[in-house]
Amino acid sequence: MTHRPNPNIAAASSRPLGVAQSLVGKALDAQTVFSRSVILTGEQETLITKNGRWCLLDCLQLLPRVVGPLTVVLPIGIGELEAEVRAIAARVWTRGSVTVLTAGAPIDMRHAVAVLNIGHQVRNDLPWTSINSDGWLARCSSSETPLPASCGQANPIAALMAASLGVTEVFKRVYGVPPDVLPQCEFVEFSLFELSTSPTGPGPELPETIDLPDTVLIGGGAIGNGLVLLLSQLSLRGRLHIIDKQAFGDENLGTCCLLDELVWLTQPKAVQLATWLDERSGLVVTGEQALVEDARAGAFVKGMAVDLVLNGLDDVQARHDAQLMWPSIMVDGGINAIGAAVVTHRLDQPQGACLRCTFQLPLVDGRVAQAKATGLSFESLHGDPGRLLTEADIEEADEAHKPWLREQLQKGRTICSTIAEGQARAALGVQLVAGFKPSVPFVATASAALVVAQALRSLLYPQSRFVQLFQMANLFLGPHASAGVLTPADARCECTTQRSVILRVAGARATATRATAQVVGPVMAA
Ligand SMILES: [Zn+2]
């Protein structure tokens, strides 16, 4: 029998519970919340489509992390999907339970506090939400307005967005968010191609196979999990390298949609995700546990001609470091507790800000306050806040803070996270739960869907409307509360001042890639 670490259940649920508590404005009793029953079901004619299948499987990766007892009620006649559902239900991480039933006879759903249906029908006698997707359109309705039934144009990106919207609706019901604070979703149809809730159609069909340029994915947390899930569902070819500095911990179970195997805990996020994706896609995937700054100069990245970078990061310094790869397409997903945003920088769209001029580093003037809160010396606080805290920092620190700093060192904190922890501790007069950051997995997967949509739109349809920054400010209010804006490039930033050098390097990269393709092509065909 293999040894399995016992996850800390409270840590695993703390982040979603934290989001719910901020929405309802009061403390919630975890035991009550996780005793409420939820049903996930679907209509046979939807589930036999690729989109219907993805919607169902994505919901199954998300829902068990944030609810208690989940019952999956499947219609008959869905072929192999039933076996797939049973396999995921058996392995998915949950603090509740997942039961799979096949609806030979009608099942009483009145005990459920939320029913999520993959299909188009609506029911006003139950706490019902329907989702589906068609092409680039993600649809959701918790009202009496049924959804269009068309689901024929396969596209997993919109399916993941639909799943994210549907799980958001369930979350509101299960955690008891009052409808006068956040009403249930009326009918919504959101296009990830047009980035609009008044779409003109399902958008272009995805090619049967998509050849990615050499791609780097940075960040293996909640957004990174969503990105990897989507990349496994798309039909892709090429090389992908995943970079993340951390290992999985208990607190990730509630937010990372692919973290099911407890043997992943304490293992490097980048390596686990790379292995998982390599087995499930046409991509050749590698992973590396490292800071972006170090990985950028490392053997893996140097051995590639990186032309597409996908980010799922939560700190500004890492974004600034990632931008220095200057790929033709850089897409950055970001989240807070309730909303998702995506920033796109393209070398062929120089009017838009890069990540370095979109995201400002914290001002140096803050160092006095930072030193006071952490005991770190000005030398330690100067320079890269994304680097890891070291013994040398503690040597030079204020004596009274040394025991606390040693704890931070043991936790593998960066300078930046030490400052955040120190300031939060100083502000509240209490010690926060280690690394506490309210977060839910479905906001992260919504961000991942936006990132992959922007990346493929830029890659396959470069003439389509360029959107530098798109925000879904509050997913709990739905995609209606979203907007695209253009942050103009800063004339003092290197994206502008060094543009000729950046373009020359990109040109050399393209030439090298073409030469490699010519050499590799016949060999691979042989
Ligand atoms: Zn810039």
Side-chain angles (χ1 to χ4, degrees):
M1 207 169 133
T2 44
H3 169 74
R4 288 195 150 189
N6 190 19
N8 178 343
I9 296 287
S13 301
S14 63
R15 289 178 173 182
L17 208 54
V19 171
Q21 287 175 168
S22 72
L23 293 176
V24 301
K26 62 174 190 199
L28 290 169
D29 176 42
Q31 216 172 343
T32 308
V33 168
F34 293 111
S35 69
R36 294 175 180 147
S37 297
V38 174
I39 288 175
L40 174 63
T41 188
E43 297 160 31
Q44 189 259 353
E45 59 270 39
T46 310
L47 294 180
I48 58 172
T49 66
K50 285 184 176 177
N51 291 331
R53 171 178 169 270
W54 284 318
C55 281
L56 182 70
L57 298 183
D58 292 348
C59 287
L60 203 49
Q61 290 294 149
L62 288 168
L63 270 177
R65 289 170 210 286
V66 291
V67 305
L70 174 68
T71 307
V72 187
V73 181
L74 297 174
I76 50 173
I78 58 166
E80 290 171 7
L81 182 57
E82 183 180 336
E84 276 186 275
V85 167
R86 288 186 186 278
I88 294 178
R91 70 156 188 267
V92 70
W93 182 82
T94 180
R95 69 175 284 166
S97 59
V98 185
T99 311
V100 183
L101 301 176
T102 307
I107 288 165
D108 186 4
M109 297 187 175
R110 280 171 303 180
H111 65 285
V113 297
V115 181
L116 181 53
N117 174 56
I118 320 298
H120 74 279
Q121 296 165 13
V122 290
R123 283 180 63 168
N124 56 16
D125 59 329
L126 289 168
W128 187 273
T129 298
S130 270
I131 58 164
N132 67 31
S133 71
D134 190 21
W136 298 76
L137 300 174
R139 304 182 182 122
C140 179
S141 174
S142 296
S143 68
E144 289 176 22
T145 313
L147 297 176
S150 62
C151 296
Q153 188 180 318
N155 183 322
I157 311 170
L160 183 59
M161 179 59 82
S164 307
L165 296 175
V167 176
T168 305
E169 292 297 288
V170 173
F171 187 88
K172 287 191 275 189
R173 298 190 205 266
V174 170
Y175 289 74
V177 181
D180 57 327
V181 177
L182 291 168
Q184 293 296 140
C185 175
E186 296 288 322
F187 171 88
V188 70
E189 191 173 43
F190 175 70
S191 165
L192 284 118
F193 193 81
E194 299 175 46
L195 296 175
S196 165
T197 49
S198 320
T200 57
E205 286 200 30
L206 288 176
E208 247 173 51
T209 307
I210 301 165
D211 286 300
L212 287 188
D214 276 3
T215 301
V216 165
L217 190 165
I218 307 174
I223 302 172
N225 270 252
L227 291 172
V228 168
L229 172 63
L230 256 184
L231 297 180
S232 78
Q233 295 167 340
L234 287 157
S235 182
L236 302 172
R237 278 190 311 215
R239 293 194 291 188
L240 176 81
H241 186 58
I242 304 178
I243 299 164
D244 189 288
K245 67 182 179 203
Q246 290 177 319
F248 280 116
D250 292 347
E251 70 281 5
N252 300 125
L253 286 163
T255 56
C256 290
C257 66
L258 295 177
L259 180 53
D260 295 330
E261 305 289 338
L262 296 183
V263 292
W264 283 24
L265 297 176
T266 72
Q267 298 299 309
K269 292 176 178 174
V271 177
Q272 291 300 325
L273 290 173
T275 307
W276 188 91
L277 183 57
D278 192 62
E279 288 168 3
R280 289 166 179 81
S281 73
L283 294 165
V284 176
V285 193
T286 49
E288 177 180 16
Q289 182 174 25
L291 292 170
V292 182
E293 188 191 14
D294 299 331
R296 194 161 55 79
F300 280 110
V301 172
K302 289 279 179 210
M304 299 168 80
V306 179
D307 213 35
L308 170 64
V309 176
L310 309 176
N311 287 340
L313 290 165
D314 61 2
D315 81 281
V316 174
Q317 186 63 50
R319 289 185 161 105
H320 279 213
D321 290 339
Q323 182 65 72
L324 293 178
M325 291 187 220
W326 297 112
S328 293
I329 304 167
M330 159 75 84
V331 191
D332 180 274
I335 54 171
N336 61 19
I338 56 170
V342 59
V343 173
T344 305
H345 179 256
R346 277 166 51 175
L347 294 186
D348 67 345
Q349 300 285 343
Q351 75 279 18
C354 73
L355 298 189
R356 295 175 72 84
C357 49
T358 300
F359 297 98
Q360 305 297 324
L361 284 171
L363 289 172
V364 182
D365 302 328
R367 269 193 286 161
V368 175
Q370 291 167 358
K372 195 165 169 236
T374 60
L376 289 171
S377 69
F378 277 18
E379 285 70 33
S380 293
L381 291 167
H382 184 72
D384 174 12
R387 73 173 174 83
L388 293 168
L389 191 66
T390 64
E391 193 60 51
D393 294 318
I394 296 176
E395 290 292 306
E396 287 163 25
D398 168 54
E399 204 58 44
H401 283 85
K402 281 186 179 174
W404 177 77
L405 282 168
R406 267 213 179 84
E407 286 173 30
Q408 308 311 306
L409 178 72
Q410 275 168 9
K411 288 173 186 165
R413 288 206 191 285
T414 58
I415 296 289
C416 183
S417 62
T418 305
I419 294 167
E421 192 77 11
Q423 289 180 334
R425 182 167 161 259
L428 299 175
V430 291
Q431 194 175 349
L432 289 181
V433 178
F436 186 67
K437 212 182 296 165
S439 174
V440 282
F442 46 88
V443 168
T445 47
S447 172
L450 289 171
V451 168
V452 176
Q454 284 286 77
L456 292 192
R457 231 161 55 80
S458 301
L459 195 65
L460 303 171
Y461 315 98
Q463 303 309 323
S464 62
R465 183 172 68 107
F466 171 67
V467 179
Q468 189 261 346
L469 166 64
F470 182 79
Q471 300 201 63
M472 222 173 246
N474 186 343
L475 201 69
F476 297 90
L477 286 173
H480 290 294
S482 59
V485 290
L486 177 86
T487 312
D490 186 334
R492 295 159 302 177
C493 178
E494 53 262 71
C495 66
T496 310
T497 61
Q498 303 296 312
R499 181 161 165 80
S500 58
V501 180
I502 292 165
L503 288 179
R504 201 158 60 231
V505 173
R509 197 162 60 213
T511 311
T513 305
R514 274 195 301 275
T516 313
Q518 276 163 9
V519 174
V520 174
V523 177
M524 288 179 67

